[in-house]
Amino acid sequence: MNTLAKNTLVKCGECPIRHRAVCARCESDELERLESIKYYRNFEAGQTIVWSNDKMDFVGSVVAGVAALTQTMEDGRTQMVGLLLPSDFVGRPGREGSAYDVTATTDLVMCCFRKKPFEKMMAETPHIAHRLLEMTLDELDAAREWMLVLGRKTAREKIASLLAIIARRDPRPGLSPGVEASFELPLTREAMADYLGLTLETVSRQMSALKRDGVIILEGKRHVSVPDISRLMDEAGDDSDGGYLV
Amino acid sequence: MNTLAKNTLVKCGECPIRHRAVCARCESDELERLESIKYYRNFEAGQTIVWSNDKMDFVGSVVAGVAALTQTMEDGRTQMVGLLLPSDFVGRPGREGSAYDVTATTDLVMCCFRKKPFEKMMAETPHIAHRLLEMTLDELDAAREWMLVLGRKTAREKIASLLAIIARRDPRPGLSPGVEASFELPLTREAMADYLGLTLETVSRQMSALKRDGVIILEGKRHVSVPDISRLMDEAGDDSDGGYLV
DNA sequence: CGGCTCCTTGACTTGACTCAAATACGGTGG
DNA sequence: CCACCGTATTTGAGTCAAGTCAAGGAGCCG
């Protein structure tokens, strides 16, 4: 985040998410056109980006940081329905409001496009529409995978699944010997609970249990090291990648 | 189903899902091209249409009947991750295999397109790609709504949510006075359980409870009548449409 | 040194699961 | 038309995983 100071103008060509975001397939002339309708916005951890049902006058990409999509019932029960990491897309072209609350769970930088011009451009440049279709299909797959987690896994498996996903998307190699992955949790215990359909007490207990059983190593509350990734995958219940067949 | 006999050739112009399926926006010349690469297939209730990870050489639309997408863990736990009703799309352009098992839960008619020609056509006709994007975004919204059901609702609310969804998508008006909706369940108790992340016993108990409390009227195991839809919505926990505002 | 917020842990409760049986229904063959 | 079988469903009794309620602890900042 610190590398992208507030209101810094970044050339699309130098953008860190250039090859993964909705603009991934654009040619340089298309990028120029995008540059003319884009602007950056910064959000602090905890800040709401859009409220559910509010009118959105932009769409955009997460450049740095993590955001969450959540749904809330009248009595306050809430469920996170999406976790947006850098390069993920926010907003739905062709619809006025947001269907969910969008909240920054860490400090965040968004690359925003004014909505009308973006929609016009999408209609005219298949590269953008195709990439957005591809990304939406990927998100649909991720949502469905998550339905299995929510519907059928135990609390312990749910926690392990979440940790495995974060470890996979943040593939910093282990620092010390005997540590295969190591990362900072971008979520509070409560946010984890909202993602997993659990209470925060249950999250805390299962984190402690995984630590006690040596599946993870906790340094402070948020830093997680994983000595053996395939062990973690086993705990998650999807041992399809248990190590065989490379 | 009976109106579409096996192997009957149907002109796209006369197709019952013409205006809702992936072909909805096509012009008549595009429809002709689609007609040249399409064929119909019939499936019986319970039959598997594609196995997870199997190669799919077609994509297509459900014309009549209901199909389910399911994921299964090694130990047999299964979760339904999608319910495909007429006009819904099956398969993912640009990917070899299916990510899920696709099963017919009632007798079913599919309009299939050979995959390669369909992909080629998609690249050339924005009408199809745009419609598919729109449908995929709708499915993503539906999947996320379902995540709230799976993660945060009680068994009783889950059942009520499922019944409300089916009642909404099958808007046959009530036959008798004092009945606002009435429909045939396209799922067994076990399939309902797999959709809702419950056991079939719990589904059965909650169906009995809703019947006892007068929320629904059961005739036989599968036919459901709803005397008061807003009551059912209340039971589902999303009383946003409680009846006010229109 | 309070006063936060976030997290952990303990004790008890409960909603949904498991195991087990009984019942309904549709179809088949006599 | 009826006896019989297999599948789908209902119902009961007991258990357990996760929830609720209630204290504490840890780190951080003014």
Side-chain angles (χ1 to χ4, degrees):
Chain A
M1 273 136 284
N2 351 27
T3 59
L4 286 166
K6 201 161 189 165
N7 296 323
T8 303
L9 284 182
V10 174
K11 286 289 221 181
C12 287
E14 300 159 6
C15 177
I17 57 168
R18 164 73 181 92
H19 53 300
R20 298 220 299 155
V22 70
C23 50
R25 305 261 195 81
C26 289
E27 313 284 351
S28 55
D29 55 328
E30 292 164 343
L31 281 187
E32 270 174 41
R33 187 167 165 200
L34 272 180
E35 250 160 25
S36 73
I37 61 170
K38 93 179 187 191
Y39 56 97
Y40 290 99
R41 282 182 69 181
N42 294 59
F43 297 89
E44 286 174 21
Q47 217 181 332
T48 295
I49 299 169
V50 207
W51 292 102
S52 161
N53 299 318
D54 262 19
K55 195 180 163 188
M56 267 184 97
D57 51 355
F58 65 91
V59 297
S61 301
V62 175
V63 177
V66 179
L69 304 180
T70 57
Q71 281 193 306
T72 304
M73 295 170 67
E74 303 78 26
D75 62 6
R77 281 176 281 176
T78 81
Q79 175 66 50
M80 200 183 292
V81 297
L83 196 58
L84 301 178
L85 303 185
S87 84
D88 282 337
F89 189 77
V90 180
R92 173 166 175 169
R95 179 186 290 172
E96 273 294 293
S98 167
Y100 326 100
D101 295 330
V102 185
T103 321
T105 69
T106 67
D107 289 346
L108 186 103
V109 181
M110 278 253 308
C111 169
C112 305
F113 304 106
R114 284 181 293 121
K115 192 155 165 189
K116 281 285 168 212
F118 184 85
E119 281 169 3
K120 185 154 180 290
M121 189 164 167
M122 215 181 78
E124 291 162 8
T125 55
H127 282 154
I128 293 183
H130 272 151
R131 177 67 187 139
L132 187 57
L133 174 58
E134 196 173 46
M135 290 173 73
T136 306
L137 285 164
D138 284 343
E139 276 196 79
L140 184 56
D141 281 345
R144 284 172 166 166
E145 197 168 313
W146 209 254
M147 289 172 71
L148 176 66
V149 173
L150 288 173
R152 292 301 185 194
K153 291 196 178 178
T154 64
R156 185 180 174 104
E157 288 169 334
K158 286 179 175 183
I159 299 285
S161 299
L162 177 58
L163 296 177
I165 283 187
I166 295 174
R168 200 188 318 151
R169 277 205 55 160
D170 193 355
R172 228 173 300 164
L175 323 121
S176 356
V179 172
E180 290 185 7
S182 184
F183 54 89
E184 208 68 25
L185 271 176
L187 302 172
T188 65
R189 296 289 185 267
E190 187 178 19
M192 292 173 69
D194 284 343
Y195 202 160
L196 297 167
L198 296 171
T199 59
L200 66 92
E201 293 95 328
T202 299
V203 170
S204 183
R205 276 187 248 276
Q206 296 300 335
M207 289 288 287
S208 301
L210 288 173
K211 174 184 173 187
R212 175 170 13 88
D213 298 345
V215 181
I216 59 175
I217 299 162
L218 281 174
E219 291 149 45
K221 320 275 183 195
R222 297 289 196 92
H223 192 91
V224 179
S225 296
V226 183
D228 179 353
I229 298 222
S230 72
R231 170 84 192 282
L232 180 63
M233 303 278 289
D234 274 7
E235 293 284 356
D238 10 90
D239 54 8
S240 26
D241 288 24
Y244 51 89
L245 253 182
V246 177
Chain B
M1 272 137 286
N2 351 28
T3 58
L4 286 165
K6 203 161 188 169
N7 296 322
T8 301
L9 285 182
V10 173
K11 287 289 221 180
C12 287
E14 300 158 6
C15 178
I17 57 168
R18 165 75 181 91
H19 51 300
R20 298 220 298 156
V22 71
C23 51
R25 305 260 194 81
C26 290
E27 314 281 352
S28 55
D29 56 326
E30 292 165 344
L31 281 188
E32 268 174 43
R33 186 166 166 201
L34 273 179
E35 249 160 28
S36 74
I37 62 171
K38 92 178 189 194
Y39 56 98
Y40 290 100
R41 282 183 67 182
N42 295 59
F43 297 90
E44 286 172 22
Q47 216 181 333
T48 295
I49 298 170
V50 207
W51 292 103
S52 161
N53 299 318
D54 262 20
K55 195 181 164 189
M56 268 183 95
D57 51 356
F58 64 91
V59 296
S61 303
V62 175
V63 178
V66 179
L69 304 180
T70 58
Q71 281 193 306
T72 303
M73 295 170 67
E74 304 77 26
D75 62 6
R77 282 177 279 176
T78 81
Q79 175 67 49
M80 198 183 295
V81 297
L83 196 58
L84 301 177
L85 302 185
S87 84
D88 283 337
F89 189 79
V90 179
R92 172 165 175 170
R95 179 186 289 172
E96 273 295 292
S98 167
Y100 324 102
D101 295 329
V102 186
T103 321
T105 69
T106 66
D107 289 347
L108 186 103
V109 181
M110 278 251 311
C111 170
C112 306
F113 304 105
R114 284 181 293 121
K115 191 154 165 191
K116 281 285 169 213
F118 184 86
E119 282 169 2
K120 185 154 181 289
M121 189 164 168
M122 215 181 77
E124 292 161 8
T125 54
H127 283 153
I128 292 182
H130 272 151
R131 176 68 187 140
L132 188 56
L133 173 57
E134 196 172 47
M135 290 173 74
T136 306
L137 285 164
D138 284 343
E139 277 196 79
L140 183 56
D141 281 346
R144 286 173 166 167
E145 199 169 310
W146 209 252
M147 289 173 71
L148 175 66
V149 173
L150 288 172
R152 290 304 185 193
K153 291 195 178 178
T154 64
R156 185 181 174 101
E157 289 169 334
K158 285 179 175 181
I159 298 286
S161 299
L162 177 57
L163 295 177
I165 283 187
I166 295 175
R168 201 188 316 150
R169 275 204 61 162
D170 193 355
R172 225 173 302 163
L175 323 122
S176 358
V179 172
E180 290 184 9
S182 185
F183 54 88
E184 209 68 25
L185 273 175
L187 302 173
T188 64
R189 295 290 185 268
E190 186 178 19
M192 291 173 69
D194 284 343
Y195 202 160
L196 297 166
L198 297 171
T199 58
L200 66 93
E201 293 95 328
T202 298
V203 170
S204 183
R205 275 186 247 277
Q206 296 299 336
M207 289 288 287
S208 300
L210 288 174
K211 174 184 171 186
R212 175 170 14 86
D213 298 345
V215 181
I216 59 174
I217 299 162
L218 282 174
E219 291 148 47
K221 318 277 183 196
R222 296 291 194 92
H223 192 91
V224 179
S225 297
V226 184
D228 179 353
I229 297 218
S230 71
R231 170 84 192 283
L232 180 64
M233 304 279 287
D234 275 7
E235 293 284 355
D238 10 272
D239 54 8
S240 27
D241 289 24
Y244 50 86
L245 257 183
V246 180

